[in-house]
Amino acid sequence: MAVVYSGMNPVKIIIFEDEFLLANDLKRQIEGFNYEVPAIFRKAEEGLGYLANIKLPEELPDIVLMDIYLAGKMNGIEAAKIITEKYNFALVFLTGMSQIEIFEDAFKSKPHAFLIKPFDVQQALVSIRLAVYQKSLENRLLKYQEELEEKIIERTRELQTAKDHAEEAIKLKNTLLANVSNQIRE
C-alpha cells in the first residue's frame, strides 16, 4: 500500500484507548501502512494535557481515534467534544458498544466515522482514510466560505463607496439646478 500523506507529512494519529493490548496492536498494524502514531492514552485527561502542551502546529495529529469508554474520570465523548471545540482534527470513535443511545450522544461531537470492536485492520484503515478525506473536504469548504465572506465584505465596501459617490453627485446636481434656477429667476 502507498504511503498516506496529509500535505507532505505522514498522517499522525493519536489513540485514546483504555485497553492496552488493543491500542498497541492497532498502533502496530496501522504503522505498518505508514501512518504515524506518536502517542496512546488510556485516560482522556492525559491525552488532553498532551495536546495542550504541543507548541508547533506540525506536531499536532491529523486524526484522533477515540474509545468511548476510557480509564479516568472523563469518557471519550466528553474528551471528543473538547477536542472538536479546540482543534481541527478528524475524529473516529472506537467502541465495543452498539447501543443507539451511545451513538446519539457521540454524534454531538461530529465524528467522521465509528469503528465497532472487534474490528480488523482493513476496516480501521478505511475509516481512517475516510475521516482524513472528510476532514480535508471540511477544511476546503471552510476556506472557500472565508474567501466568499471576504469577497462579500469587499463588494459591500465597493457598493457603499458607489452609493456615497452617487449621493454626492445628486447633491451637486441639486445644487447646480438650484443655482441655475436662481439665475433664471433673476
Side-chain angles (χ1 to χ4, degrees):
M1 176 171 257
V3 178
V4 180
Y5 294 100
S6 66
M8 296 304 291
N9 302 320
V11 171
K12 284 192 239 16
I13 301 171
I14 301 286
I15 300 173
F16 286 74
E17 170 60 63
D18 63 338
E19 295 178 40
F20 180 77
L21 293 175
L22 176 67
N24 278 306
D25 186 49
L26 180 59
K27 176 184 186 222
R28 181 187 55 75
Q29 288 187 51
I30 62 178
E31 283 182 336
F33 290 90
N34 297 309
Y35 289 96
E36 182 182 332
V37 181
I40 296 173
F41 299 98
R42 292 185 69 239
K43 296 180 180 179
E45 298 85 356
E46 293 169 353
L48 293 172
Y50 170 85
L51 293 172
N53 288 322
I54 293 176
K55 302 295 182 221
L56 301 173
E58 60 271 11
E59 292 177 0
L60 290 168
D62 301 291
I63 186 169
V64 170
L65 301 181
M66 178 71 71
D67 188 10
I68 289 179
Y69 294 105
L70 296 169
K73 295 179 181 177
M74 186 182 298
N75 69 33
I77 295 172
E78 294 165 324
K81 287 177 185 172
I82 293 169
I83 287 171
T84 55
E85 287 173 9
K86 287 186 165 189
Y87 304 101
N88 188 29
F89 309 148
L91 175 66
V92 175
F93 275 116
L94 310 172
T95 184
M97 305 300 286
S98 58
Q99 297 167 334
I100 195 69
E101 303 83 30
I102 293 168
F103 288 111
E104 291 300 325
D105 198 24
F107 279 126
K108 294 174 186 168
S109 353
K110 300 177 185 155
H112 295 89
F114 279 89
L115 277 171
I116 308 295
K117 299 177 202 174
F119 50 83
D120 63 27
V121 71
Q122 293 301 318
Q123 183 185 13
L125 292 171
V126 167
S127 292
I128 290 167
R129 289 185 76 179
L130 179 61
V132 170
Y133 177 69
Q134 286 178 330
K135 192 61 183 176
S136 73
L137 290 178
E138 286 175 14
N139 289 340
R140 286 195 350 226
L141 184 60
L142 284 173
K143 181 182 174 208
Y144 293 144
Q145 180 180 350
E146 289 169 2
E147 289 172 359
L148 182 58
E149 288 172 357
E150 287 174 15
K151 287 178 181 178
I152 289 170
I153 290 168
E154 180 60 32
R155 187 65 180 136
T156 301
R157 280 191 213 121
E158 291 171 2
L159 291 171
Q160 183 62 47
T161 300
K163 179 183 173 221
D164 293 345
H165 289 147
E167 288 173 350
E168 187 62 33
I170 290 170
K171 285 180 188 175
L172 288 172
K173 177 192 75 140
N174 289 341
T175 302
L176 179 65
L177 287 175
N179 287 341
V180 168
S181 227
N182 285 339
Q183 288 178 359
I184 292 175
R185 275 184 265 165
E186 290 175 2

